[in-house]
Amino acid sequence: MNTAELRLTAYCKALKLPTVARTYKAMARDAETQGTGHVEFLAALLEQEVLQRDENGIHSRIRAARFPYPKTLDSFDFSAVPELNKHKVLALSKGEFIQHRENLLLIGNPGTGKTHLAIALGMAACRVGYRVRFYTAAALVNELLAAQREHQLHKLEKQWLQPHLVVVDELGYIPFSQTGSQLLFTFLSARYERGSVAITSNLEFTRWTEIFGDDKLTAALLDRLTHRSHILTMNGESYRFRESLRRQHEEP
Ligand code: ADP
Ligand code: MG
């Protein structure tokens, strides 16, 4: 390395420009052969740094969201759920509902793609810059119960509003204890009008008392959740079930 290169490397380090440090040589060579002007070259060089930073941000937000596995809207077969409004889902993927602190409720039979959509929309939100956190309802309630036992609930409360969107998956598979219900209610109330939640459930609203075990609490919760919300009902046949039937049919 000549002295200019050594200086450049040191400045990139000081200014935290790893992409510039990595790409300047090849880009300078290209600029020279193509006769690109200095300003144009510098703009292209810095653009690389910005693009890489955006990409890194997306990846770190997706990591922080702790999705159980990745899912995308591209791999979602809308023709399998004709009752679902594709335009509505694509509009939701732009994340405007999160900016407006609105909620998303995905209600329907098992295997109809609720978790798939919740993850895909969560990942789309990460892409446009939102902080997201994915929980299963059971894991969230367990975390709340543990925090309460250890007298850490107050500390945790501050973190509840950190994500712009909290996904609560599989509400309704397991009924909660009275304390669990109350803690989940407290959690969702704390986020009310302050941040979005996306909930998936196999139970229609009229049956939510079965999850929370209390009429009044359920009514209050539903009132808050549905106040500013987008409700997607997905009550078709199970995609999983249909796929396995199709595979069995294809196999000799
Ligand atoms: P649910 O959460 O409603 O029980 P999932 O989202 O877990 O259902 O879907 C079950 C499986 O079927 C997943 O692997 C999911 O990716 C797939 N799946 C469901 N619906 C669709 C769909 N419309 N297009 C593509 N894959 C789907
Ligand atoms: Mg699911």
PDB file of all heavy atoms in Angstrom, residues 143-161:
ATOM      1  N   GLU A 143     -42.971 -15.075  29.559  1.00  0.00           N
ATOM      2  CA  GLU A 143     -41.980 -14.040  29.843  1.00  0.00           C
ATOM      3  C   GLU A 143     -42.545 -13.031  30.850  1.00  0.00           C
ATOM      4  O   GLU A 143     -41.850 -12.613  31.784  1.00  0.00           O
ATOM      5  CB  GLU A 143     -41.596 -13.345  28.533  1.00  0.00           C
ATOM      6  CG  GLU A 143     -40.372 -12.461  28.670  1.00  0.00           C
ATOM      7  CD  GLU A 143     -39.916 -11.880  27.333  1.00  0.00           C
ATOM      8  OE1 GLU A 143     -39.649 -12.662  26.402  1.00  0.00           O
ATOM      9  OE2 GLU A 143     -39.831 -10.650  27.237  1.00  0.00           O
ATOM     10  N   LEU A 144     -43.824 -12.686  30.681  1.00  0.00           N
ATOM     11  CA  LEU A 144     -44.451 -11.729  31.598  1.00  0.00           C
ATOM     12  C   LEU A 144     -44.573 -12.319  33.002  1.00  0.00           C
ATOM     13  O   LEU A 144     -44.308 -11.646  34.000  1.00  0.00           O
ATOM     14  CB  LEU A 144     -45.827 -11.316  31.065  1.00  0.00           C
ATOM     15  CG  LEU A 144     -45.844 -10.544  29.740  1.00  0.00           C
ATOM     16  CD1 LEU A 144     -47.265 -10.368  29.223  1.00  0.00           C
ATOM     17  CD2 LEU A 144     -45.161  -9.198  29.890  1.00  0.00           C
ATOM     18  N   LEU A 145     -44.959 -13.594  33.067  1.00  0.00           N
ATOM     19  CA  LEU A 145     -45.091 -14.255  34.369  1.00  0.00           C
ATOM     20  C   LEU A 145     -43.744 -14.326  35.083  1.00  0.00           C
ATOM     21  O   LEU A 145     -43.647 -14.058  36.288  1.00  0.00           O
ATOM     22  CB  LEU A 145     -45.668 -15.665  34.192  1.00  0.00           C
ATOM     23  CG  LEU A 145     -47.175 -15.749  33.889  1.00  0.00           C
ATOM     24  CD1 LEU A 145     -47.544 -17.161  33.414  1.00  0.00           C
ATOM     25  CD2 LEU A 145     -48.001 -15.359  35.104  1.00  0.00           C
ATOM     26  N   ALA A 146     -42.707 -14.670  34.325  1.00  0.00           N
ATOM     27  CA  ALA A 146     -41.366 -14.770  34.920  1.00  0.00           C
ATOM     28  C   ALA A 146     -40.920 -13.406  35.427  1.00  0.00           C
ATOM     29  O   ALA A 146     -40.364 -13.291  36.531  1.00  0.00           O
ATOM     30  CB  ALA A 146     -40.365 -15.308  33.896  1.00  0.00           C
ATOM     31  N   ALA A 147     -41.182 -12.371  34.632  1.00  0.00           N
ATOM     32  CA  ALA A 147     -40.782 -11.013  35.039  1.00  0.00           C
ATOM     33  C   ALA A 147     -41.505 -10.608  36.319  1.00  0.00           C
ATOM     34  O   ALA A 147     -40.914 -10.003  37.216  1.00  0.00           O
ATOM     35  CB  ALA A 147     -41.086 -10.023  33.928  1.00  0.00           C
ATOM     36  N   GLN A 148     -42.777 -10.975  36.403  1.00  0.00           N
ATOM     37  CA  GLN A 148     -43.543 -10.625  37.605  1.00  0.00           C
ATOM     38  C   GLN A 148     -42.981 -11.349  38.836  1.00  0.00           C
ATOM     39  O   GLN A 148     -42.816 -10.750  39.896  1.00  0.00           O
ATOM     40  CB  GLN A 148     -45.013 -10.966  37.413  1.00  0.00           C
ATOM     41  CG  GLN A 148     -45.877 -10.344  38.487  1.00  0.00           C
ATOM     42  CD  GLN A 148     -47.287 -10.867  38.455  1.00  0.00           C
ATOM     43  OE1 GLN A 148     -47.516 -12.069  38.282  1.00  0.00           O
ATOM     44  NE2 GLN A 148     -48.241  -9.983  38.621  1.00  0.00           N
ATOM     45  N   ARG A 149     -42.674 -12.634  38.647  1.00  0.00           N
ATOM     46  CA  ARG A 149     -42.103 -13.417  39.759  1.00  0.00           C
ATOM     47  C   ARG A 149     -40.817 -12.793  40.268  1.00  0.00           C
ATOM     48  O   ARG A 149     -40.542 -12.772  41.451  1.00  0.00           O
ATOM     49  CB  ARG A 149     -41.821 -14.855  39.301  1.00  0.00           C
ATOM     50  CG  ARG A 149     -42.944 -15.821  39.591  1.00  0.00           C
ATOM     51  CD  ARG A 149     -42.464 -17.260  39.508  1.00  0.00           C
ATOM     52  NE  ARG A 149     -41.781 -17.561  38.257  1.00  0.00           N
ATOM     53  CZ  ARG A 149     -42.396 -17.914  37.130  1.00  0.00           C
ATOM     54  NH1 ARG A 149     -43.706 -18.005  37.088  1.00  0.00           N
ATOM     55  NH2 ARG A 149     -41.713 -18.161  36.036  1.00  0.00           N
ATOM     56  N   GLU A 150     -40.018 -12.292  39.333  1.00  0.00           N
ATOM     57  CA  GLU A 150     -38.713 -11.741  39.715  1.00  0.00           C
ATOM     58  C   GLU A 150     -38.786 -10.234  39.985  1.00  0.00           C
ATOM     59  O   GLU A 150     -37.744  -9.570  40.053  1.00  0.00           O
ATOM     60  CB  GLU A 150     -37.689 -12.044  38.613  1.00  0.00           C
ATOM     61  CG  GLU A 150     -37.338 -13.529  38.537  1.00  0.00           C
ATOM     62  CD  GLU A 150     -36.923 -13.967  37.134  1.00  0.00           C
ATOM     63  OE1 GLU A 150     -36.471 -13.107  36.347  1.00  0.00           O
ATOM     64  OE2 GLU A 150     -37.068 -15.166  36.830  1.00  0.00           O
ATOM     65  N   HIS A 151     -40.007  -9.724  40.114  1.00  0.00           N
ATOM     66  CA  HIS A 151     -40.223  -8.296  40.363  1.00  0.00           C
ATOM     67  C   HIS A 151     -39.524  -7.421  39.334  1.00  0.00           C
ATOM     68  O   HIS A 151     -38.951  -6.376  39.669  1.00  0.00           O
ATOM     69  CB  HIS A 151     -39.771  -7.922  41.788  1.00  0.00           C
ATOM     70  CG  HIS A 151     -40.384  -8.796  42.835  1.00  0.00           C
ATOM     71  ND1 HIS A 151     -41.710  -8.698  43.192  1.00  0.00           N
ATOM     72  CD2 HIS A 151     -39.872  -9.814  43.558  1.00  0.00           C
ATOM     73  CE1 HIS A 151     -41.973  -9.621  44.099  1.00  0.00           C
ATOM     74  NE2 HIS A 151     -40.883 -10.320  44.335  1.00  0.00           N
ATOM     75  N   GLN A 152     -39.521  -7.869  38.096  1.00  0.00           N
ATOM     76  CA  GLN A 152     -38.842  -7.130  37.028  1.00  0.00           C
ATOM     77  C   GLN A 152     -39.841  -6.516  36.050  1.00  0.00           C
ATOM     78  O   GLN A 152     -39.445  -5.998  35.008  1.00  0.00           O
ATOM     79  CB  GLN A 152     -37.914  -8.075  36.234  1.00  0.00           C
ATOM     80  CG  GLN A 152     -36.815  -8.715  37.051  1.00  0.00           C
ATOM     81  CD  GLN A 152     -35.759  -7.704  37.418  1.00  0.00           C
ATOM     82  OE1 GLN A 152     -35.271  -6.980  36.559  1.00  0.00           O
ATOM     83  NE2 GLN A 152     -35.408  -7.624  38.693  1.00  0.00           N
ATOM     84  N   LEU A 153     -41.123  -6.627  36.393  1.00  0.00           N
ATOM     85  CA  LEU A 153     -42.162  -6.203  35.453  1.00  0.00           C
ATOM     86  C   LEU A 153     -42.007  -4.720  35.093  1.00  0.00           C
ATOM     87  O   LEU A 153     -42.142  -4.328  33.936  1.00  0.00           O
ATOM     88  CB  LEU A 153     -43.540  -6.463  36.064  1.00  0.00           C
ATOM     89  CG  LEU A 153     -44.654  -6.835  35.099  1.00  0.00           C
ATOM     90  CD1 LEU A 153     -44.252  -7.962  34.174  1.00  0.00           C
ATOM     91  CD2 LEU A 153     -45.906  -7.213  35.861  1.00  0.00           C
ATOM     92  N   HIS A 154     -41.692  -3.936  36.115  1.00  0.00           N
ATOM     93  CA  HIS A 154     -41.591  -2.495  35.913  1.00  0.00           C
ATOM     94  C   HIS A 154     -40.487  -2.168  34.908  1.00  0.00           C
ATOM     95  O   HIS A 154     -40.651  -1.325  34.028  1.00  0.00           O
ATOM     96  CB  HIS A 154     -41.322  -1.808  37.246  1.00  0.00           C
ATOM     97  CG  HIS A 154     -41.623  -0.347  37.202  1.00  0.00           C
ATOM     98  ND1 HIS A 154     -42.910   0.144  37.046  1.00  0.00           N
ATOM     99  CD2 HIS A 154     -40.799   0.732  37.231  1.00  0.00           C
ATOM    100  CE1 HIS A 154     -42.856   1.459  37.005  1.00  0.00           C
ATOM    101  NE2 HIS A 154     -41.599   1.840  37.113  1.00  0.00           N
ATOM    102  N   LYS A 155     -39.380  -2.881  35.058  1.00  0.00           N
ATOM    103  CA  LYS A 155     -38.241  -2.666  34.163  1.00  0.00           C
ATOM    104  C   LYS A 155     -38.603  -3.071  32.736  1.00  0.00           C
ATOM    105  O   LYS A 155     -38.240  -2.425  31.766  1.00  0.00           O
ATOM    106  CB  LYS A 155     -37.052  -3.500  34.661  1.00  0.00           C
ATOM    107  CG  LYS A 155     -35.744  -2.742  34.655  1.00  0.00           C
ATOM    108  CD  LYS A 155     -34.722  -3.394  35.542  1.00  0.00           C
ATOM    109  CE  LYS A 155     -33.793  -4.305  34.774  1.00  0.00           C
ATOM    110  NZ  LYS A 155     -32.935  -5.075  35.693  1.00  0.00           N
ATOM    111  N   LEU A 156     -39.338  -4.171  32.665  1.00  0.00           N
ATOM    112  CA  LEU A 156     -39.713  -4.713  31.363  1.00  0.00           C
ATOM    113  C   LEU A 156     -40.688  -3.788  30.635  1.00  0.00           C
ATOM    114  O   LEU A 156     -40.649  -3.667  29.410  1.00  0.00           O
ATOM    115  CB  LEU A 156     -40.353  -6.094  31.565  1.00  0.00           C
ATOM    116  CG  LEU A 156     -40.219  -7.107  30.439  1.00  0.00           C
ATOM    117  CD1 LEU A 156     -38.766  -7.450  30.197  1.00  0.00           C
ATOM    118  CD2 LEU A 156     -41.009  -8.362  30.763  1.00  0.00           C
ATOM    119  N   GLU A 157     -41.529  -3.120  31.439  1.00  0.00           N
ATOM    120  CA  GLU A 157     -42.560  -2.252  30.853  1.00  0.00           C
ATOM    121  C   GLU A 157     -41.968  -1.215  29.907  1.00  0.00           C
ATOM    122  O   GLU A 157     -42.576  -0.873  28.901  1.00  0.00           O
ATOM    123  CB  GLU A 157     -43.342  -1.536  31.964  1.00  0.00           C
ATOM    124  CG  GLU A 157     -44.637  -2.239  32.306  1.00  0.00           C
ATOM    125  CD  GLU A 157     -45.385  -1.572  33.448  1.00  0.00           C
ATOM    126  OE1 GLU A 157     -45.581  -0.344  33.353  1.00  0.00           O
ATOM    127  OE2 GLU A 157     -45.747  -2.274  34.409  1.00  0.00           O
ATOM    128  N   LYS A 158     -40.796  -0.736  30.258  1.00  0.00           N
ATOM    129  CA  LYS A 158     -40.142   0.272  29.420  1.00  0.00           C
ATOM    130  C   LYS A 158     -39.796  -0.313  28.052  1.00  0.00           C
ATOM    131  O   LYS A 158     -39.780   0.396  27.053  1.00  0.00           O
ATOM    132  CB  LYS A 158     -38.872   0.775  30.102  1.00  0.00           C
ATOM    133  CG  LYS A 158     -39.145   1.563  31.358  1.00  0.00           C
ATOM    134  CD  LYS A 158     -37.916   2.354  31.788  1.00  0.00           C
ATOM    135  CE  LYS A 158     -38.147   3.015  33.124  1.00  0.00           C
ATOM    136  NZ  LYS A 158     -37.978   2.077  34.248  1.00  0.00           N
ATOM    137  N   GLN A 159     -39.519  -1.617  28.055  1.00  0.00           N
ATOM    138  CA  GLN A 159     -39.136  -2.253  26.783  1.00  0.00           C
ATOM    139  C   GLN A 159     -40.346  -2.577  25.914  1.00  0.00           C
ATOM    140  O   GLN A 159     -40.197  -2.820  24.728  1.00  0.00           O
ATOM    141  CB  GLN A 159     -38.365  -3.549  27.058  1.00  0.00           C
ATOM    142  CG  GLN A 159     -37.012  -3.317  27.691  1.00  0.00           C
ATOM    143  CD  GLN A 159     -36.394  -4.621  28.176  1.00  0.00           C
ATOM    144  OE1 GLN A 159     -36.672  -5.680  27.643  1.00  0.00           O
ATOM    145  NE2 GLN A 159     -35.574  -4.534  29.198  1.00  0.00           N
ATOM    146  N   TRP A 160     -41.531  -2.578  26.521  1.00  0.00           N
ATOM    147  CA  TRP A 160     -42.709  -2.976  25.760  1.00  0.00           C
ATOM    148  C   TRP A 160     -42.986  -2.071  24.574  1.00  0.00           C
ATOM    149  O   TRP A 160     -43.571  -2.486  23.594  1.00  0.00           O
ATOM    150  CB  TRP A 160     -43.946  -2.984  26.685  1.00  0.00           C
ATOM    151  CG  TRP A 160     -43.935  -4.075  27.673  1.00  0.00           C
ATOM    152  CD1 TRP A 160     -43.043  -5.110  27.745  1.00  0.00           C
ATOM    153  CD2 TRP A 160     -44.861  -4.260  28.753  1.00  0.00           C
ATOM    154  NE1 TRP A 160     -43.352  -5.918  28.799  1.00  0.00           N
ATOM    155  CE2 TRP A 160     -44.460  -5.421  29.438  1.00  0.00           C
ATOM    156  CE3 TRP A 160     -45.970  -3.558  29.211  1.00  0.00           C
ATOM    157  CZ2 TRP A 160     -45.137  -5.900  30.550  1.00  0.00           C
ATOM    158  CZ3 TRP A 160     -46.649  -4.030  30.305  1.00  0.00           C
ATOM    159  CH2 TRP A 160     -46.238  -5.187  30.974  1.00  0.00           C
ATOM    160  N   LEU A 161     -42.586  -0.801  24.729  1.00  0.00           N
ATOM    161  CA  LEU A 161     -42.904   0.158  23.669  1.00  0.00           C
ATOM    162  C   LEU A 161     -41.764   0.324  22.669  1.00  0.00           C
ATOM    163  O   LEU A 161     -41.872   1.101  21.734  1.00  0.00           O
ATOM    164  CB  LEU A 161     -43.277   1.506  24.282  1.00  0.00           C
ATOM    165  CG  LEU A 161     -44.540   1.478  25.145  1.00  0.00           C
ATOM    166  CD1 LEU A 161     -44.791   2.827  25.780  1.00  0.00           C
ATOM    167  CD2 LEU A 161     -45.749   1.060  24.317  1.00  0.00           C
TER     168      LEU A 161
END
